[in-house]
């Protein structure tokens, strides 16, 4: 018997239940991980609210965690009992003391990466890896726009972009968050409560705008993001913090300069165990070198996941947030 957070219906943080849970025995290609730390991410709130549909209800929540392999299925060869691992993909159920998942979803942790750091970093760090290293094919020196630059993903993006020689303009919601983004490596910041984002981008780039805009906000920033793109620029829409983008008129892309749009996911890029481990190894190398540092701004007991999600959705968090079993 173990404990987990689960949902039996969709809604706000109040639907999160602290429940007894008996995890199944691992199947032939599965492992059971005893979580030591669990990552909190915006996508967790999408499953809670019903924006994304879990396979069934009741359902566990969470996609990211780190811990120790406690049991392995009969066909598992990639990892061993007692090995330190982390994961940042399905199935749902990371908000738990014990989690059973396919062995192919795991990455091995190097000795210099602890459980809290891994849980706070892996999903966000792998996201930044594919955004900047695979989607963005940069030569160095480019000026890019990154929304929510002081958040969990943005905090890593500011540092990684600086290491790549990019000028990252980050949007933020307060002077304090602007200060934080600049301290992490943002070239410039725009406070969207006080400034016109598109106009400031035009000024900062001397009229050239940006070749790539990274947008995890969604509905509220869609039009602004398009207005910040240079001709033939690329809008990378990788999140829905303000709600999903809908009713897209492709003709607008032509009118605004033959623009490109992509809606990527981590699963689309970390699509084999080997590629996922290689992406994680690059992330761990950035952490090990000190070029990327991850601040854990908030720690909550797992039983208080509702309070943690409230803080996240009300934008009262900075850096990464973890849940502790």
């Amino acid at each position: 018997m173990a404990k987990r957070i689960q949902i039996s219906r969709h809604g706000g943080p109040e639907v999160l239940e602290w429940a007894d849970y008996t995890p199944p025995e691992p199947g032939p290609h599965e492992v059971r991980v005893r979580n030591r730390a669990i990552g909190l991410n915006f996508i967790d709130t999408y499953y809670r609210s019903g924006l994304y549909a879990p396979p069934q209800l009741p359902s566990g929540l969470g996609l990211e965690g780190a811990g120790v392999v406690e049991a392995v299925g009969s066909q598992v060869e990639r990892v061993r009992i007692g090995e330190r691992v982390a994961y940042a993909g399905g199935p749902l159920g990371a908000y738990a003391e014990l989690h059973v998942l396919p062995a192919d979803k795991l990455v091995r942790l190097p000795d210099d990466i602890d459980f809290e750091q891994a849980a706070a970093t892996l999903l966000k760090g792998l996201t930044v890896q594919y955004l900047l290293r695979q989607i963005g094919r940069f030569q160095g020196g480019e000026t890019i726009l990154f929304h929510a630059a002081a958040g969990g993903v943005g905090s890593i993006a500011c540092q990684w972009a600086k290491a790549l020689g990019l000028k990252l303009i980050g949007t933020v919601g307060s002077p304090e968050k602007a200060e934080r983004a600049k301290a992490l490596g943002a070239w410039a910041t725009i406070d969207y409560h006080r400034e016109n984002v598109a106009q400031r981008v035009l000024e900062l780039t001397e009229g050239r705008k940006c070749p790539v805009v990274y947008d995890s906000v969604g509905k509220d920033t869609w039009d602004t993001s398009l207005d910040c793109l240079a001709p033939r620029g690329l809008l990378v829409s990788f999140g829905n913090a303000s709600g999903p983008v809908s009713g897209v008129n492709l003709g607008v892309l032509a009118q605004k300069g033959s623009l490109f749009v992509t809606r990527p996911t981590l699963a689309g890029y970390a699509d084999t165990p080997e590629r996922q481990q290689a992406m994680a190894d690059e992330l761990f190398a950035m952490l090990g070198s000190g070029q990327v540092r991850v601040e854990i701004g908030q720690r909550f007991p797992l039983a208080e996941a509702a309070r943690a999600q409230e803080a996240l959705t009300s934008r009262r968090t900075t850096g990464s947030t973890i849940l502790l079993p």
Side-chain angles (χ1 to χ4, degrees):
M1 185 73 70
K3 287 284 192 179
R4 74 169 183 173
I5 294 289
Q6 67 180 32
I7 57 170
S8 300
R9 59 190 175 90
H10 296 299
E14 71 279 356
V15 304
L16 300 185
E17 306 166 4
W18 182 235
D20 291 325
Y21 168 63
T22 302
E25 286 299 310
H29 300 282
E30 294 179 327
V31 300
R32 186 171 69 241
V33 175
R34 180 167 291 278
N35 284 327
R36 298 290 182 84
I38 298 153
L40 180 77
N41 298 284
F42 248 104
I43 194 171
D44 305 341
T45 70
Y46 302 161
Y47 282 106
R48 184 206 72 211
S49 69
L51 177 61
Y52 292 171
Q56 62 185 24
L57 292 175
S59 172
L61 278 183
L63 296 166
E64 178 181 37
V68 177
V69 176
E70 188 176 84
V72 300
S74 59
Q75 302 299 311
V76 172
E77 297 180 353
R78 292 189 68 245
V79 293
R80 302 182 304 275
I81 292 174
E83 196 162 3
R84 301 169 67 252
V85 295
Y87 55 90
L92 294 172
Y95 284 23
E97 294 172 337
L98 298 172
H99 188 28
V100 175
L101 70 165
D104 285 353
K105 297 291 186 181
L106 301 177
V107 297
R108 297 177 188 86
L109 290 182
D111 292 340
D112 59 344
I113 304 296
D114 63 37
F115 295 119
E116 290 194 4
Q117 191 178 28
T121 308
L122 190 60
L123 183 58
K124 303 171 188 69
L126 291 180
T127 298
V128 174
Q129 197 280 340
Y130 82 74
L131 291 176
L132 296 182
R133 300 284 289 131
Q134 299 189 63
I135 294 178
R137 300 179 182 276
F138 300 113
Q139 303 301 310
E142 293 93 342
T143 302
I144 62 174
L145 181 68
F146 207 103
H147 287 291
V153 174
S155 296
I156 296 173
C158 286
Q159 299 172 76
W160 208 322
K162 184 178 181 181
L164 293 173
L166 303 175
K167 295 179 177 180
L168 183 146
I169 303 171
T171 69
V172 295
S174 70
E176 294 76 21
K177 290 192 174 185
E179 216 171 283
R180 172 179 169 74
K182 286 182 180 177
L184 290 169
W187 175 68
T189 59
I190 301 171
D191 186 334
Y192 53 78
H193 287 309
R194 296 173 169 82
E195 301 174 279
N196 181 296
V197 174
Q199 182 60 39
R200 280 296 290 143
V201 165
L202 201 64
E203 294 167 0
L204 288 165
T205 61
E206 299 180 341
R208 292 186 296 272
K209 301 186 181 181
C210 298
V212 184
V213 171
Y214 293 101
D215 189 339
S216 62
V217 180
K219 180 183 64 172
D220 289 355
T221 51
W222 172 258
D223 291 328
T224 296
S225 292
L226 294 177
D227 287 338
C228 293
L229 281 168
R232 299 177 300 283
L234 172 64
L235 172 54
V236 184
S237 177
F238 68 100
N240 308 287
S242 67
V245 176
S246 60
V248 175
N249 178 0
L250 293 180
V252 172
L253 303 181
Q255 295 165 13
K256 292 183 181 292
S258 298
L259 304 179
F260 294 84
V261 175
T262 185
R263 181 61 176 90
T265 64
L266 175 58
Y269 282 83
D271 56 348
T272 67
E274 295 77 18
R275 190 171 287 119
Q276 178 175 257
Q277 186 69 55
M279 292 167 63
D281 289 344
E282 184 174 355
L283 168 63
F284 296 148
M286 294 295 287
L287 292 168
S289 71
Q291 293 181 89
V292 171
R293 300 177 186 274
V294 175
E295 175 195 347
I296 300 175
Q298 300 77 212
R299 292 173 172 85
F300 291 88
L302 177 58
E304 297 180 17
R307 191 163 65 90
Q309 287 199 0
E310 286 175 344
L312 181 69
T313 55
S314 63
R315 304 189 184 280
R316 289 185 281 110
T317 63
T318 56
S320 294
T321 302
I322 59 171
L323 307 172
L324 299 174

